[in-house]
């Protein structure tokens, strides 16, 4: 049997079995951040989709107005003959064959990989390494592009990729416990609107099933998404 700490019991007692108005939910989630570190604030949206069908898959990007509060480590991979593309890059890691070899050996010292279209056939060979980690670049995610520097800057500022998992749930971190309530509200609203506007073509009828927010170490709080 899983043992629940006194701290978590105390935080759970603050949350009722109901759906909260969005701003009330954000105030509540901030009040449950009692861990000894700056917890992330997460959103989990359950959707009426079946991702095994191509026309019900959801994978795209969103630029959060206040970022996520996380320092993103970005790697850029380019062809050997185009190393000039990365000479002035603001990425944390840049390379061509050397970076490709590191990845092939499981050295994944980055949170995001950006590359050019011409590299994708070669990179496809590393799908077994990158795929399970969610690091395979994709045009839909904005991580396959000819404008590498712009892509790096956008992701550094708060752009992030999200996708629905096999159960049809989208998970993201949309801030930190020390963010203001207004910043969290604006980030969450931006994310929710993005999910709504990117409704897969194969989904008919009701789309959003449930929205829950929580801190890293806190209880889940149901949000009434009709209050956005």
């Amino acid at each position: 049997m899983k043992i629940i700490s006194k701290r978590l019991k105390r935080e759970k007692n603050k949350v009722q079995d109901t759906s909260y108005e969005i701003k009330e939910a954000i105030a509540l989630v901030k009040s449950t951040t009692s861990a000894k570190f700056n917890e992330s604030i997460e959103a989990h949206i359950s959707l009426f989709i079946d991702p095994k069908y191509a026309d019900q898959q959801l994978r795209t990007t969103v630029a959060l107005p206040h970022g996520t509060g996380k320092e993103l480590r970005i790697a850029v991979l380019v062809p050997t003959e185009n190393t000039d593309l990365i000479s002035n890059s603001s990425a944390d890691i840049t390379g061509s064959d050397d970076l490709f070899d590191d990845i092939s050996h499981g050295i994944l010292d980055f949170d995001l990989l950006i590359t050019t279209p011409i590299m994708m056939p070669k990179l496809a060979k590393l799908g077994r390494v990158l795929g399970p980690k969610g690091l395979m670049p994709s045009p839909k995610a904005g991580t396959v592009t000819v404008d590498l520097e712009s892509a790096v800057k956008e992701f550094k500022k708060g752009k992030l990729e999200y996708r629905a998992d096999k159960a049809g749930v989208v998970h993201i971190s949309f801030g930190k416990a020390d963010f203001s309530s207004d910043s969290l509200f604006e980030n969450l609203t931006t994310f929710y609107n993005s999910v709504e506007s990117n409704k897969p073509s194969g989904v008919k009828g009701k789309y959003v099933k449930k929205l829950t927010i929580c801190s890293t170490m806190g209880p889940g709080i149901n949000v009434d998404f009709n209050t956005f």
Side-chain angles (χ1 to χ4, degrees):
M1 180 181 293
K2 185 177 181 180
I3 299 176
I4 300 177
S5 68
K6 291 182 180 179
R7 184 201 63 81
L8 183 54
K9 285 182 180 179
R10 183 176 65 251
E11 304 307 341
K12 280 190 170 184
N13 286 335
K14 297 177 181 179
V15 182
Q16 298 179 11
D17 185 18
T18 187
S19 292
Y20 292 87
E21 183 272 333
I22 178 60
K23 290 190 175 181
E24 187 180 6
I26 287 175
L28 183 56
V29 77
K30 282 178 65 67
S31 76
T32 64
T33 55
S34 56
K36 296 180 180 180
F37 61 92
N38 190 18
E39 298 179 58
S40 293
I41 307 298
E42 306 167 2
H44 309 274
I45 302 182
S46 179
L47 304 170
F48 286 102
I49 64 174
D50 189 346
K52 71 180 180 182
Y53 297 107
D55 63 354
Q56 293 192 42
Q57 294 175 359
L58 175 62
R59 181 180 183 182
T60 187
T61 60
V62 62
L64 300 181
H66 302 285
T68 64
K70 178 182 178 181
E71 191 66 35
L72 200 63
R73 190 168 173 79
I74 298 177
V76 169
L77 176 69
V78 298
T80 306
E81 63 273 18
N82 294 124
T83 52
D84 58 303
L85 293 175
I86 59 175
S87 58
N88 296 312
S89 175
S90 57
D92 301 282
I93 301 172
T94 57
S96 51
D97 289 342
D98 54 339
L99 179 55
F100 185 88
D101 289 341
D102 284 347
I103 295 172
S104 66
H105 288 93
I107 303 175
L108 307 173
D109 190 23
F110 51 83
D111 304 304
L112 186 75
L113 178 62
I114 299 175
T115 191
T116 59
I118 199 172
M119 288 296 292
M120 285 308 292
K122 182 177 180 179
L123 201 57
K125 300 175 183 178
L126 300 181
R128 291 184 178 181
V129 179
L130 295 169
K133 300 289 186 179
L135 295 172
M136 177 61 78
S138 163
K140 286 185 177 180
T143 47
V144 178
T145 176
V146 294
D147 192 350
L148 297 172
E149 187 57 25
S150 292
V152 171
K153 289 180 179 178
E154 287 176 354
F155 280 102
K156 286 285 188 180
K157 287 181 179 179
K159 182 178 179 180
L160 57 85
E161 177 192 1
Y162 66 85
R163 70 181 78 183
D165 62 19
K166 293 180 180 179
V169 183
V170 181
H171 314 268
I172 73 158
S173 170
F174 66 97
K176 291 285 189 177
D178 62 355
F179 277 31
S180 69
S181 292
D182 286 343
S183 293
L184 290 173
F185 171 76
E186 290 174 16
N187 275 358
L188 182 56
T189 300
T190 299
F191 169 56
Y192 182 82
N193 289 339
S194 174
V195 172
E196 282 277 18
S197 63
N198 285 283
K199 180 179 179 179
S201 61
V203 179
K204 309 301 179 185
K206 195 173 181 181
Y207 176 41
V208 179
K209 185 185 301 182
K210 184 178 181 181
L211 168 58
T212 303
I213 63 174
C214 65
S215 62
T216 305
M217 304 295 290
I221 298 167
N222 294 327
V223 180
D224 182 358
F225 49 84
N226 293 310
T227 61
F228 276 94

